[in-house]
Structure formats: C-alpha cells, structure tokens
Amino acid sequence: MKPNVRARFLWVLKHSLNRLTTRAARAGVGPFSLVLHVGRKSGRQYETPVILARDANGFICELTYGEQVDWYRNVVAAGNCVVIVKGIEHRIDGVSAYPTADGLRAFGPFKSRVLRMLRRKDFRLLHVQSPDTAPNPA
C-alpha cells in the first residue's frame, strides 16, 4: 500500500471502526482489549482497541498495520503501557518481538488459521509487570 493511501486508510479506521471497537473493549464484549498509552509527542493519554492472546509472560499482539502505528510507537517509546482485558488492568513493562509460529499458536486454531490466510507474521509480546517489581503506592 502506498504511504499516502495507507495514511488515509488508517485515519478512516481510527475515526470509524476504532470508536465502535473501543466501546466493545470497555464493556468487555467480544475479542477486543484496550491499550492505554501516552503520546510520545503530545503527552496525552490514548486508548486503542486491539485483539490480544494470553501468554505465560503477558499478552501477544499481532501488528496488523505494522510497527508504524501510533499506539505501538508510543508504547515502545515509553517502555510501558496498561492493557485492559475483560475489564482487568494489566501493567505492561516492556515489548519484545515474538516468534511467528508461537504467535500464531497463541491465538488458537480458528484465529490462527485466519491470521495465516492473511499472511500475518509480525507478533509482539507485551510483557506484564510482575507484582514484586510494581511500584509501592505511597
């Protein structure tokens, strides 16, 4: 996809489908979760709907639109974020590449089949902060 066409597509997605899926994620309905992140330039708080799979160390995310999407760049720049899955907050303290085969497996047979058909290969582990490293409330 050409950069200008891609930018327009992502803008339309952000201002239409994302609004609906954000509501679903807040309500804990469907497969959607929310990533709460801070803008690397604006400092504003944002929430972005995503579909995540659980892993022993955190959550697996497939980067459908690549590494250049704002939410991902914000999380990488900050080194942390919060994900809300089925109404439960999880603090994320790091993001790392995740092997394609393991990423596909994490999503289960049906979703994995769809991801394979769509030729998705770019997965990331959103590492959940362990309770013993969480900051103590003052």
Side-chain angles (χ1 to χ4, degrees):
M1 198 180 292
K2 293 183 179 180
N4 200 15
V5 173
R6 179 182 168 80
R8 288 181 186 165
F9 172 75
L10 291 174
W11 186 91
V12 169
L13 186 67
K14 179 179 179 180
H15 291 89
S16 60
L17 184 61
N18 276 11
R19 291 181 184 196
L20 296 172
T21 54
T22 296
R23 287 186 199 139
R26 273 195 214 120
V29 176
F32 301 103
S33 300
L34 283 177
V35 175
L36 307 179
H37 54 99
V38 176
R40 62 195 177 284
K41 295 178 185 174
S42 68
R44 287 182 51 204
Q45 173 127 4
Y46 295 96
E47 50 186 28
T48 302
V50 295
I51 297 176
L52 302 173
R54 192 67 164 121
D55 175 84
N57 296 312
F59 295 94
I60 308 304
C61 180
E62 189 274 321
L63 296 179
T64 304
Y65 306 109
E67 294 180 335
Q68 297 308 309
V69 292
D70 285 331
W71 78 263
Y72 179 74
R73 293 173 67 194
N74 290 341
V75 171
V76 170
N80 62 67
C81 67
V82 172
V83 295
I84 301 176
V85 180
K86 300 291 183 202
I88 300 170
E89 286 191 11
H90 304 271
R91 300 211 174 275
I92 303 300
D93 64 4
V95 179
S96 58
Y98 200 73
T100 301
D102 295 340
L104 289 167
R105 200 172 310 116
F107 280 90
F110 178 74
K111 289 178 186 174
S112 175
R113 188 171 297 133
V114 171
L115 291 169
R116 278 189 182 94
M117 287 176 16
L118 294 172
R119 297 186 178 135
R120 300 297 182 207
K121 299 178 181 176
D122 203 4
F123 295 89
R124 296 293 184 274
L125 170 65
L126 304 177
H127 186 269
V128 173
Q129 185 176 35
S130 63
D132 55 325
T133 62
N136 292 329

